[in-house]
Amino acid sequence: MARIVTIISPDVSGAHTRLAAEALKAMAQRGGHQLALETHCPSLPWTEISAEDIASADLVILAGECSQAAERFKNKKVVRSPASTLILDT
């Protein structure tokens, strides 16, 4: 089981943010992983990852336009992806 933290920000539209969040939740559940999700989208409720989630994370996924978020994840394995790719690949 991995602990995954994800920030999703729209790269195309708010709909992609919602779909990517749903796809990642399903992927984590299928794999038995823990997922902490932060969304940056005006059309979704704003959520934020806790400092505890970041400290215990095995993997960080930055999806969409969230380049400023990278500084929060020093010394963590970070994967960047367009939100639309997550929808298709999960």
Side-chain angles (χ1 to χ4, degrees), residues 1-9 20-21 24-25 27-28 33-40 47-64 66 69-81 86:
M1 174 186 71
R3 293 183 176 161
I4 304 167
V5 295
T6 303
I7 297 179
I8 303 175
S9 183
L24 283 169
K25 287 176 187 176
M27 178 272 310
H33 306 295
Q34 290 182 345
L35 178 70
L37 182 65
E38 180 172 308
T39 56
H40 297 181
T47 58
E48 191 167 338
I49 297 169
S50 71
E52 290 175 2
D53 289 331
I54 293 170
S56 66
D58 299 309
L59 175 66
V60 176
I61 300 172
L62 300 179
C66 46
E71 65 190 43
R72 294 169 56 192
F73 304 108
K74 293 178 181 160
N75 302 318
K76 295 289 180 182
K77 181 176 181 179
V78 176
V79 175
R80 295 175 184 268
S81 173
L86 294 175

